Amino acid sequence: MSAGTSRKTNKIDEVFSVIKGKRKKNLIVYITAGYPDIRSTEKLVLEIDRAGADIIELGVPFSDPVADGPTIQESSQHALAAHVTLAGVFKLASRVRTKISAALVLMGYYNTILQYGLNKFAEDCAKNGIDGVIVPDLIPEEGGKLLKASGAQGIKVIFFLAPTSDDSRIRLVSKLSQGFIYCVTVAGITGARSALPDLNKYVNRIRRFTDKPLALGFGISTPGMLAKVLKHADAAIVGSAVIKVIKANIKKQNLPGIVGAFISRLRRGVPGERKTEKNGYHAQKN
Amino acid sequence: MLLPDKRGYFGDFGGRFLPETLVPALRELEAEYSRAKKDPKFIRELEFYRKNYIGRETPLYFAKRLTEYLGGPKIYLKREDLAHTGSHKINNAVGQALLALRMGKRRVIAETGAGQHGVATATVAAKFGLECDVFMGEEDCERQALNVHRMKLLGTRVIPVSSGSRTLKDALNEAFRDWVATVSHTYYIFGTVAGPHPYPMMVRDFQSVIGNEARKQMLSMEGRLPNYLIACVGGGSNSIGLFHRFYNDKEVRMIGVEAGGKGINSKLHSATLSCGRPGVLHGAYSYMLQDKNGQVVPTHSIAAGLDYPGVGPEHSFYKATGRAEYHAVNDAEALSAYHLLTHIEGIIPALESSHAIGYVIKHRKRFRKGEILVLNLSGRGDKDVGRNI
């Protein structure tokens, strides 16, 4: 699909396609755009795609990321110091879009989107091959304006559920979240954790209300954890663990290769068919 | 007109912008608060602590020598500096601590800038036997060391925040990050009229005791309402506390005084309403200081309690509708007001409150003889002694 064409199907729906009654299990990888710099991010996106990410979440840095732990905070500060802007992230997206098979999603705090202009934001998402948007400080009750602007451009708005969400909220988020639902594994902020709580009950509780794909995130950092999460959910989101690998190898020439290898290892935790080949989906589909 | 509306909006401003994890807690808090404020037992308890613990009502004091010095308007000072712990912050801390107890929470957290809200929270935590952690920017810990000491003495853990600008906004970020992970047993005693719904409404209600008293006192002392209300604005709780009861008294004009820092053209200020534009910060849509990309910009004020890039949504509403006007007073002007009041009235004001006094001194010509001004002396200046003389 080339950038800017009208979309009948959104790439996120492709990722979560149901084959023979079974929904594919997916790996979603978050990186902060501009960490360590925009050029490196571009190479990282290509490597992460090649290594088997099904959705790549590009973080738009914000000065006050209240939902994020120290790892992602630090990467955001770094990117801001390098003057990374939403406009710059769109340019990056347009450069990588045609080279990758993964769906591309933006993760950004509401104020950066609001100040950009909601309509312009949605138009530029469509223009630059962004499939969806995740806004950690936007709840469905406040999301009407963004839903309207994005809906006009075929961009999905993904909302959150948390272990604290009660039935009425699960019902509301299930109804309004598009593409998938971002289910936070623990009440807390982003960041790699040594263990995860039992997710079976949590996922089952949400499942009573919706058939939409469920992506679990926060604290997932190893193939083993991924495998555990994917027993219950349709996708696992890995963020801080990736940022940590970037940080540890930030000065190395082959940083993209190292991160790619880390994603490949994570990928082993994903049951089912592997997506190893570049542009694997296109190759399979065409 | 009863504001905010059900979604927590004052006109275009307010709302609830924060992670889903906290939404159930905010809804629970909203429900509990609406029950509590109609519960005679809660009302009686609040009244009891206001009178016997905080020491209300606080005097409305005619500042005779300041009045003579200015040579025009009559100046009354609402003496919140005489409230227990030394500022208006205790009004809100007591109210929210009672709510925390009703909700069965064993731990409270708070953010603080000047340390006044931190001290107020540490105080009620000691009084009611609650575990307490206070988040405070590293820079503020240094410049308000006395309050850090008081909090520790009260048994509170003070957690210095080293991220970002190391001031109030970063303390808020950290408090939210803590709360999102501890929400099942922790109550967040939010210190100002900002943040997500229901905080702006609830903190306003608890602080409205200032204006309720002042209005009554003024009527009994002067037999009429004042011409002007003047108060400093950081997040905006002491000013809304004074203004709110007078909202429908259209003849009473309201002036909010922001921190002009080193001058509003210098970029080193915290004059959010004077120089900012609306956006989303810390849970609400309101005026904020930001760059063209929506990133929060660094702020500055000599007064740690005003050194904040956001402001409560009700103030944004007052500004948008013209109900109040907002001006900036810079560091030097506030500092000379601090000295002046100390010298001629024997009252050492907090540097925050000194901004309100500074405005009156600077603009004395706009007020006519015989006009009455009520100025909120939101806190005492002991905390500031020794670092600015």
Side-chain angles (χ1 to χ4, degrees), chain A residues 154-210:
Chain A
I155 308 301
K156 293 190 187 293
V157 179
I158 295 123
F159 289 111
F160 285 78
L161 279 173
T164 53
S165 306
D166 57 22
D167 287 358
S168 73
R169 298 209 56 77
I170 297 175
R171 206 172 287 128
L172 179 71
V173 170
S174 296
K175 194 173 140 207
L176 292 176
S177 191
Q178 303 171 334
F180 63 95
I181 302 171
Y182 194 133
C183 306
V184 173
T185 55
V186 287
I189 49 179
T190 59
R193 287 174 173 80
S194 53
L196 290 174
D198 180 24
L199 299 166
N200 193 21
K201 226 170 127 187
Y202 175 45
V203 170
N204 286 342
R205 200 155 65 82
I206 299 168
R207 272 280 167 251
R208 296 212 320 266
F209 296 92
T210 182

Short mmCIF file of all heavy atoms in Angstrom, two decimals, chain A residues 154-210:
data_model
loop_
_atom_site.label_atom_id
_atom_site.label_comp_id
_atom_site.label_asym_id
_atom_site.label_seq_id
_atom_site.Cartn_x
_atom_site.Cartn_y
_atom_site.Cartn_z
N GLY A 154 -9.40 7.66 8.25
CA GLY A 154 -9.17 6.21 8.37
C GLY A 154 -8.06 5.84 9.34
O GLY A 154 -7.47 4.77 9.25
N ILE A 155 -7.76 6.73 10.27
CA ILE A 155 -6.72 6.46 11.27
C ILE A 155 -7.38 5.93 12.54
O ILE A 155 -8.36 6.49 13.03
CB ILE A 155 -5.95 7.75 11.63
CG1 ILE A 155 -5.44 8.44 10.38
CG2 ILE A 155 -4.81 7.45 12.61
CD1 ILE A 155 -4.52 7.62 9.53
N LYS A 156 -6.83 4.87 13.08
CA LYS A 156 -7.43 4.27 14.27
C LYS A 156 -6.92 4.94 15.55
O LYS A 156 -5.75 5.26 15.67
CB LYS A 156 -7.11 2.78 14.32
CG LYS A 156 -7.78 2.00 13.19
CD LYS A 156 -7.64 0.52 13.39
CE LYS A 156 -8.17 -0.27 12.19
NZ LYS A 156 -9.63 -0.16 11.99
N VAL A 157 -7.86 5.10 16.48
CA VAL A 157 -7.49 5.61 17.80
C VAL A 157 -7.60 4.45 18.79
O VAL A 157 -8.67 3.84 18.93
CB VAL A 157 -8.41 6.77 18.25
CG1 VAL A 157 -8.01 7.26 19.64
CG2 VAL A 157 -8.36 7.92 17.25
N ILE A 158 -6.47 4.15 19.43
CA ILE A 158 -6.41 2.99 20.33
C ILE A 158 -6.50 3.48 21.78
O ILE A 158 -5.71 4.33 22.19
CB ILE A 158 -5.11 2.20 20.09
CG1 ILE A 158 -5.13 1.61 18.68
CG2 ILE A 158 -4.92 1.11 21.14
CD1 ILE A 158 -3.98 2.00 17.82
N PHE A 159 -7.49 2.97 22.50
CA PHE A 159 -7.63 3.36 23.91
C PHE A 159 -7.10 2.27 24.84
O PHE A 159 -6.84 1.15 24.42
CB PHE A 159 -9.09 3.68 24.23
CG PHE A 159 -9.58 4.95 23.60
CD1 PHE A 159 -10.52 4.91 22.56
CD2 PHE A 159 -9.11 6.19 24.02
CE1 PHE A 159 -10.97 6.08 21.97
CE2 PHE A 159 -9.56 7.37 23.44
CZ PHE A 159 -10.49 7.32 22.41
N PHE A 160 -7.00 2.64 26.11
CA PHE A 160 -6.39 1.76 27.11
C PHE A 160 -7.42 1.13 28.05
O PHE A 160 -8.47 1.71 28.33
CB PHE A 160 -5.46 2.58 28.02
CG PHE A 160 -4.15 2.97 27.39
CD1 PHE A 160 -4.09 4.02 26.49
CD2 PHE A 160 -2.99 2.29 27.69
CE1 PHE A 160 -2.88 4.40 25.92
CE2 PHE A 160 -1.77 2.66 27.13
CZ PHE A 160 -1.72 3.71 26.24
N LEU A 161 -7.06 -0.04 28.55
CA LEU A 161 -7.72 -0.59 29.73
C LEU A 161 -6.63 -0.91 30.75
O LEU A 161 -5.48 -1.13 30.40
CB LEU A 161 -8.50 -1.86 29.38
CG LEU A 161 -9.88 -1.63 28.76
CD1 LEU A 161 -10.49 -2.94 28.30
CD2 LEU A 161 -10.82 -0.91 29.74
N ALA A 162 -7.04 -0.91 32.02
CA ALA A 162 -6.07 -1.18 33.09
C ALA A 162 -6.69 -2.18 34.06
O ALA A 162 -7.91 -2.38 34.05
CB ALA A 162 -5.75 0.13 33.81
N PRO A 163 -5.86 -2.81 34.89
CA PRO A 163 -6.42 -3.76 35.87
C PRO A 163 -7.45 -3.09 36.79
O PRO A 163 -8.28 -3.77 37.37
CB PRO A 163 -5.18 -4.19 36.68
CG PRO A 163 -4.02 -3.95 35.78
CD PRO A 163 -4.39 -2.76 34.95
N THR A 164 -7.38 -1.77 36.90
CA THR A 164 -8.33 -1.06 37.76
C THR A 164 -9.66 -0.76 37.05
O THR A 164 -10.61 -0.33 37.70
CB THR A 164 -7.73 0.29 38.22
OG1 THR A 164 -7.28 1.01 37.07
CG2 THR A 164 -6.55 0.09 39.16
N SER A 165 -9.71 -0.96 35.74
CA SER A 165 -10.94 -0.65 34.99
C SER A 165 -12.07 -1.57 35.43
O SER A 165 -11.90 -2.78 35.46
CB SER A 165 -10.70 -0.81 33.49
OG SER A 165 -9.59 -0.06 33.06
N ASP A 166 -13.22 -0.97 35.75
CA ASP A 166 -14.37 -1.80 36.12
C ASP A 166 -15.18 -2.16 34.86
O ASP A 166 -14.85 -1.74 33.75
CB ASP A 166 -15.23 -1.11 37.17
CG ASP A 166 -15.69 0.27 36.71
OD1 ASP A 166 -15.73 0.51 35.48
OD2 ASP A 166 -16.01 1.10 37.57
N ASP A 167 -16.23 -2.92 35.06
CA ASP A 167 -17.01 -3.40 33.92
C ASP A 167 -17.53 -2.27 33.03
O ASP A 167 -17.53 -2.38 31.81
CB ASP A 167 -18.19 -4.25 34.41
CG ASP A 167 -17.72 -5.61 34.93
OD1 ASP A 167 -16.49 -5.88 34.86
OD2 ASP A 167 -18.56 -6.39 35.41
N SER A 168 -17.97 -1.18 33.66
CA SER A 168 -18.53 -0.10 32.85
C SER A 168 -17.45 0.52 31.96
O SER A 168 -17.71 0.92 30.83
CB SER A 168 -19.18 0.96 33.74
OG SER A 168 -18.20 1.72 34.40
N ARG A 169 -16.24 0.56 32.48
CA ARG A 169 -15.17 1.14 31.66
C ARG A 169 -14.72 0.16 30.58
O ARG A 169 -14.38 0.55 29.47
CB ARG A 169 -13.98 1.55 32.54
CG ARG A 169 -14.38 2.61 33.55
CD ARG A 169 -13.25 3.51 33.91
NE ARG A 169 -12.64 4.17 32.76
CZ ARG A 169 -13.16 5.21 32.12
NH1 ARG A 169 -14.32 5.70 32.48
NH2 ARG A 169 -12.53 5.74 31.10
N ILE A 170 -14.71 -1.11 30.91
CA ILE A 170 -14.35 -2.11 29.90
C ILE A 170 -15.34 -2.03 28.74
O ILE A 170 -14.96 -2.06 27.57
CB ILE A 170 -14.31 -3.53 30.50
CG1 ILE A 170 -13.22 -3.62 31.58
CG2 ILE A 170 -14.07 -4.58 29.42
CD1 ILE A 170 -13.18 -4.94 32.34
N ARG A 171 -16.61 -1.87 29.10
CA ARG A 171 -17.65 -1.76 28.07
C ARG A 171 -17.40 -0.55 27.18
O ARG A 171 -17.43 -0.63 25.96
CB ARG A 171 -19.03 -1.67 28.76
CG ARG A 171 -20.17 -2.15 27.91
CD ARG A 171 -21.47 -2.20 28.72
NE ARG A 171 -21.52 -3.29 29.68
CZ ARG A 171 -21.82 -3.15 30.97
NH1 ARG A 171 -22.08 -1.96 31.48
NH2 ARG A 171 -21.86 -4.20 31.77
N LEU A 172 -17.11 0.59 27.81
CA LEU A 172 -16.90 1.84 27.08
C LEU A 172 -15.66 1.77 26.18
O LEU A 172 -15.72 2.10 24.99
CB LEU A 172 -16.75 3.00 28.08
CG LEU A 172 -16.50 4.38 27.48
CD1 LEU A 172 -17.77 4.90 26.80
CD2 LEU A 172 -16.05 5.37 28.56
N VAL A 173 -14.55 1.33 26.74
CA VAL A 173 -13.31 1.27 25.97
C VAL A 173 -13.43 0.24 24.84
O VAL A 173 -12.98 0.48 23.72
CB VAL A 173 -12.10 0.96 26.90
CG1 VAL A 173 -10.85 0.66 26.10
CG2 VAL A 173 -11.86 2.13 27.85
N SER A 174 -14.07 -0.88 25.14
CA SER A 174 -14.26 -1.91 24.12
C SER A 174 -15.04 -1.37 22.93
O SER A 174 -14.78 -1.70 21.79
CB SER A 174 -15.03 -3.11 24.69
OG SER A 174 -14.28 -3.71 25.71
N LYS A 175 -15.99 -0.52 23.24
CA LYS A 175 -16.83 0.02 22.19
C LYS A 175 -16.05 1.03 21.34
O LYS A 175 -16.18 1.06 20.12
CB LYS A 175 -18.04 0.71 22.84
CG LYS A 175 -19.16 1.04 21.88
CD LYS A 175 -20.37 1.57 22.63
CE LYS A 175 -20.99 2.71 21.85
NZ LYS A 175 -21.71 3.65 22.71
N LEU A 176 -15.21 1.84 21.97
CA LEU A 176 -14.61 2.97 21.26
C LEU A 176 -13.19 2.74 20.77
O LEU A 176 -12.73 3.43 19.87
CB LEU A 176 -14.66 4.22 22.14
CG LEU A 176 -16.08 4.75 22.40
CD1 LEU A 176 -16.05 5.93 23.34
CD2 LEU A 176 -16.75 5.15 21.08
N SER A 177 -12.47 1.78 21.34
CA SER A 177 -11.10 1.56 20.89
C SER A 177 -11.12 0.93 19.50
O SER A 177 -11.94 0.07 19.22
CB SER A 177 -10.35 0.66 21.87
OG SER A 177 -8.97 0.67 21.56
N GLN A 178 -10.19 1.38 18.66
CA GLN A 178 -10.19 0.92 17.28
C GLN A 178 -8.93 0.12 16.97
O GLN A 178 -7.85 0.48 17.41
CB GLN A 178 -10.28 2.14 16.35
CG GLN A 178 -11.52 2.98 16.65
CD GLN A 178 -11.50 4.31 15.90
OE1 GLN A 178 -10.46 4.83 15.55
NE2 GLN A 178 -12.69 4.84 15.65
N GLY A 179 -9.08 -0.95 16.20
CA GLY A 179 -7.92 -1.76 15.82
C GLY A 179 -7.57 -2.79 16.87
O GLY A 179 -7.54 -3.97 16.62
N PHE A 180 -7.27 -2.32 18.06
CA PHE A 180 -7.06 -3.20 19.20
C PHE A 180 -7.24 -2.41 20.48
O PHE A 180 -7.48 -1.19 20.43
CB PHE A 180 -5.67 -3.89 19.14
CG PHE A 180 -4.47 -2.99 19.21
CD1 PHE A 180 -3.84 -2.72 20.42
CD2 PHE A 180 -3.94 -2.42 18.04
CE1 PHE A 180 -2.71 -1.91 20.47
CE2 PHE A 180 -2.80 -1.60 18.08
CZ PHE A 180 -2.19 -1.34 19.31
N ILE A 181 -7.18 -3.08 21.61
CA ILE A 181 -7.25 -2.40 22.90
C ILE A 181 -5.90 -2.58 23.58
O ILE A 181 -5.37 -3.69 23.63
CB ILE A 181 -8.37 -2.98 23.78
CG1 ILE A 181 -9.72 -2.86 23.06
CG2 ILE A 181 -8.42 -2.26 25.13
CD1 ILE A 181 -10.86 -3.60 23.75
N TYR A 182 -5.36 -1.50 24.07
CA TYR A 182 -4.08 -1.54 24.77
C TYR A 182 -4.39 -1.85 26.24
O TYR A 182 -4.91 -1.01 26.96
CB TYR A 182 -3.39 -0.18 24.64
CG TYR A 182 -1.92 -0.13 25.04
CD1 TYR A 182 -1.00 0.51 24.21
CD2 TYR A 182 -1.45 -0.69 26.23
CE1 TYR A 182 0.36 0.58 24.55
CE2 TYR A 182 -0.11 -0.62 26.57
CZ TYR A 182 0.79 0.02 25.73
OH TYR A 182 2.12 0.10 26.07
N CYS A 183 -4.07 -3.07 26.66
CA CYS A 183 -4.38 -3.48 28.03
C CYS A 183 -3.10 -3.42 28.87
O CYS A 183 -2.15 -4.15 28.61
CB CYS A 183 -4.94 -4.89 28.07
SG CYS A 183 -6.36 -5.10 26.98
N VAL A 184 -3.11 -2.55 29.84
CA VAL A 184 -1.96 -2.39 30.71
C VAL A 184 -1.90 -3.58 31.68
O VAL A 184 -2.90 -3.91 32.30
CB VAL A 184 -2.09 -1.05 31.47
CG1 VAL A 184 -1.02 -0.91 32.51
CG2 VAL A 184 -2.06 0.11 30.50
N THR A 185 -0.74 -4.22 31.75
CA THR A 185 -0.64 -5.45 32.57
C THR A 185 -0.73 -5.18 34.07
O THR A 185 -1.24 -5.99 34.82
CB THR A 185 0.70 -6.17 32.33
OG1 THR A 185 1.76 -5.22 32.58
CG2 THR A 185 0.82 -6.70 30.93
N VAL A 186 -0.18 -4.03 34.48
CA VAL A 186 -0.15 -3.69 35.90
C VAL A 186 -0.58 -2.25 36.10
O VAL A 186 -0.42 -1.43 35.21
CB VAL A 186 1.29 -3.83 36.49
CG1 VAL A 186 1.68 -5.28 36.64
CG2 VAL A 186 2.29 -3.07 35.64
N ALA A 187 -1.15 -1.95 37.25
CA ALA A 187 -1.40 -0.55 37.59
C ALA A 187 -0.03 0.06 37.84
O ALA A 187 0.66 -0.31 38.78
CB ALA A 187 -2.28 -0.44 38.83
N GLY A 188 0.36 0.97 36.99
CA GLY A 188 1.69 1.55 37.13
C GLY A 188 2.12 2.24 35.85
O GLY A 188 1.31 2.45 34.95
N ILE A 189 3.42 2.57 35.80
CA ILE A 189 3.96 3.25 34.65
C ILE A 189 4.74 2.26 33.79
O ILE A 189 4.97 1.13 34.20
CB ILE A 189 4.86 4.43 35.08
CG1 ILE A 189 5.87 3.96 36.13
CG2 ILE A 189 4.01 5.56 35.62
CD1 ILE A 189 6.82 5.04 36.60
N THR A 190 5.17 2.71 32.61
CA THR A 190 5.94 1.83 31.73
C THR A 190 7.27 1.50 32.37
O THR A 190 7.80 2.26 33.17
CB THR A 190 6.20 2.50 30.37
OG1 THR A 190 6.94 3.71 30.57
CG2 THR A 190 4.92 2.79 29.63
N GLY A 191 7.82 0.37 31.99
CA GLY A 191 9.14 -0.02 32.49
C GLY A 191 9.25 -1.52 32.61
O GLY A 191 8.27 -2.19 32.94
N ALA A 192 10.44 -2.01 32.30
CA ALA A 192 10.67 -3.45 32.38
C ALA A 192 10.52 -3.93 33.82
O ALA A 192 10.91 -3.24 34.75
CB ALA A 192 12.08 -3.76 31.87
N ARG A 193 9.88 -5.07 34.00
CA ARG A 193 9.69 -5.63 35.34
C ARG A 193 10.20 -7.06 35.37
O ARG A 193 10.24 -7.73 34.35
CB ARG A 193 8.20 -5.59 35.72
CG ARG A 193 7.71 -4.19 36.03
CD ARG A 193 6.21 -4.15 36.26
NE ARG A 193 5.76 -2.85 36.74
CZ ARG A 193 5.54 -1.78 35.95
NH1 ARG A 193 5.73 -1.87 34.66
NH2 ARG A 193 5.15 -0.63 36.46
N SER A 194 10.54 -7.51 36.57
CA SER A 194 11.12 -8.85 36.66
C SER A 194 10.04 -9.94 36.55
O SER A 194 10.32 -11.06 36.17
CB SER A 194 11.91 -9.00 37.95
OG SER A 194 11.10 -8.64 39.04
N ALA A 195 8.81 -9.60 36.91
CA ALA A 195 7.75 -10.59 36.81
C ALA A 195 6.43 -9.91 36.48
O ALA A 195 6.26 -8.72 36.72
CB ALA A 195 7.63 -11.35 38.12
N LEU A 196 5.52 -10.69 35.94
CA LEU A 196 4.19 -10.15 35.61
C LEU A 196 3.14 -10.82 36.50
O LEU A 196 3.31 -11.95 36.93
CB LEU A 196 3.85 -10.44 34.15
CG LEU A 196 4.64 -9.67 33.09
CD1 LEU A 196 4.30 -10.19 31.71
CD2 LEU A 196 4.34 -8.18 33.18
N PRO A 197 2.05 -10.11 36.77
CA PRO A 197 0.98 -10.74 37.55
C PRO A 197 0.26 -11.79 36.70
O PRO A 197 0.49 -11.89 35.49
CB PRO A 197 0.06 -9.57 37.86
CG PRO A 197 0.29 -8.58 36.77
CD PRO A 197 1.73 -8.74 36.36
N ASP A 198 -0.61 -12.54 37.31
CA ASP A 198 -1.42 -13.50 36.56
C ASP A 198 -2.39 -12.73 35.67
O ASP A 198 -3.16 -11.90 36.15
CB ASP A 198 -2.21 -14.39 37.55
CG ASP A 198 -3.06 -15.40 36.80
OD1 ASP A 198 -2.71 -15.72 35.64
OD2 ASP A 198 -4.08 -15.83 37.36
N LEU A 199 -2.30 -13.01 34.37
CA LEU A 199 -3.07 -12.20 33.43
C LEU A 199 -4.34 -12.89 32.95
O LEU A 199 -5.17 -12.28 32.29
CB LEU A 199 -2.18 -11.85 32.24
CG LEU A 199 -0.94 -11.04 32.62
CD1 LEU A 199 0.05 -11.02 31.47
CD2 LEU A 199 -1.33 -9.62 33.02
N ASN A 200 -4.48 -14.15 33.32
CA ASN A 200 -5.59 -14.94 32.82
C ASN A 200 -6.94 -14.32 33.18
O ASN A 200 -7.80 -14.11 32.33
CB ASN A 200 -5.48 -16.36 33.41
CG ASN A 200 -6.41 -17.32 32.70
OD1 ASN A 200 -6.84 -17.04 31.58
ND2 ASN A 200 -6.73 -18.42 33.37
N LYS A 201 -7.09 -14.01 34.45
CA LYS A 201 -8.35 -13.47 34.96
C LYS A 201 -8.67 -12.12 34.33
O LYS A 201 -9.81 -11.85 33.92
CB LYS A 201 -8.24 -13.30 36.49
CG LYS A 201 -9.44 -13.82 37.25
CD LYS A 201 -9.14 -13.84 38.73
CE LYS A 201 -10.21 -13.09 39.49
NZ LYS A 201 -9.87 -12.94 40.92
N TYR A 202 -7.64 -11.31 34.26
CA TYR A 202 -7.76 -9.95 33.69
C TYR A 202 -8.26 -10.02 32.25
O TYR A 202 -9.24 -9.38 31.87
CB TYR A 202 -6.38 -9.30 33.80
CG TYR A 202 -6.20 -7.93 33.18
CD1 TYR A 202 -7.14 -6.92 33.36
CD2 TYR A 202 -5.04 -7.64 32.45
CE1 TYR A 202 -6.93 -5.66 32.82
CE2 TYR A 202 -4.83 -6.38 31.91
CZ TYR A 202 -5.77 -5.39 32.09
OH TYR A 202 -5.56 -4.15 31.57
N VAL A 203 -7.57 -10.85 31.46
CA VAL A 203 -7.94 -10.95 30.05
C VAL A 203 -9.35 -11.54 29.90
O VAL A 203 -10.15 -11.06 29.10
CB VAL A 203 -6.90 -11.77 29.27
CG1 VAL A 203 -7.38 -12.09 27.86
CG2 VAL A 203 -5.57 -11.01 29.21
N ASN A 204 -9.64 -12.54 30.72
CA ASN A 204 -10.98 -13.15 30.62
C ASN A 204 -12.09 -12.15 30.95
O ASN A 204 -13.17 -12.18 30.36
CB ASN A 204 -11.09 -14.35 31.56
CG ASN A 204 -10.33 -15.55 31.01
OD1 ASN A 204 -10.01 -15.58 29.81
ND2 ASN A 204 -10.02 -16.50 31.88
N ARG A 205 -11.80 -11.31 31.93
CA ARG A 205 -12.78 -10.29 32.31
C ARG A 205 -13.07 -9.34 31.13
O ARG A 205 -14.21 -9.00 30.86
CB ARG A 205 -12.22 -9.48 33.50
CG ARG A 205 -13.23 -8.73 34.31
CD ARG A 205 -12.73 -8.50 35.74
NE ARG A 205 -11.55 -7.64 35.80
CZ ARG A 205 -11.61 -6.30 35.77
NH1 ARG A 205 -12.77 -5.70 35.72
NH2 ARG A 205 -10.50 -5.59 35.81
N ILE A 206 -12.01 -8.97 30.42
CA ILE A 206 -12.19 -8.08 29.27
C ILE A 206 -12.89 -8.83 28.13
O ILE A 206 -13.78 -8.30 27.47
CB ILE A 206 -10.82 -7.53 28.79
CG1 ILE A 206 -10.17 -6.72 29.91
CG2 ILE A 206 -11.00 -6.67 27.54
CD1 ILE A 206 -8.71 -6.36 29.66
N ARG A 207 -12.50 -10.10 27.95
CA ARG A 207 -13.06 -10.92 26.87
C ARG A 207 -14.58 -11.06 26.95
O ARG A 207 -15.25 -11.28 25.95
CB ARG A 207 -12.42 -12.31 26.91
CG ARG A 207 -11.15 -12.41 26.12
CD ARG A 207 -11.43 -12.57 24.63
NE ARG A 207 -10.22 -12.37 23.85
CZ ARG A 207 -9.98 -11.31 23.08
NH1 ARG A 207 -10.88 -10.35 22.97
NH2 ARG A 207 -8.86 -11.21 22.41
N ARG A 208 -15.12 -10.96 28.17
CA ARG A 208 -16.57 -11.07 28.32
C ARG A 208 -17.30 -9.95 27.56
O ARG A 208 -18.46 -10.06 27.25
CB ARG A 208 -16.98 -10.98 29.80
CG ARG A 208 -16.47 -12.11 30.66
CD ARG A 208 -17.44 -12.44 31.80
NE ARG A 208 -18.04 -11.24 32.40
CZ ARG A 208 -17.56 -10.61 33.48
NH1 ARG A 208 -16.50 -11.07 34.09
NH2 ARG A 208 -18.17 -9.55 33.95
N PHE A 209 -16.57 -8.86 27.30
CA PHE A 209 -17.21 -7.69 26.71
C PHE A 209 -16.84 -7.45 25.25
O PHE A 209 -17.48 -6.66 24.59
CB PHE A 209 -16.87 -6.43 27.51
CG PHE A 209 -17.40 -6.45 28.91
CD1 PHE A 209 -16.63 -6.93 29.94
CD2 PHE A 209 -18.69 -6.01 29.17
CE1 PHE A 209 -17.13 -6.95 31.23
CE2 PHE A 209 -19.20 -6.04 30.45
CZ PHE A 209 -18.42 -6.52 31.50
N THR A 210 -15.76 -8.08 24.78
CA THR A 210 -15.32 -7.72 23.43
C THR A 210 -14.57 -8.83 22.71
O THR A 210 -13.90 -9.65 23.34
CB THR A 210 -14.42 -6.46 23.47
OG1 THR A 210 -14.07 -6.10 22.13
CG2 THR A 210 -13.16 -6.70 24.28
#
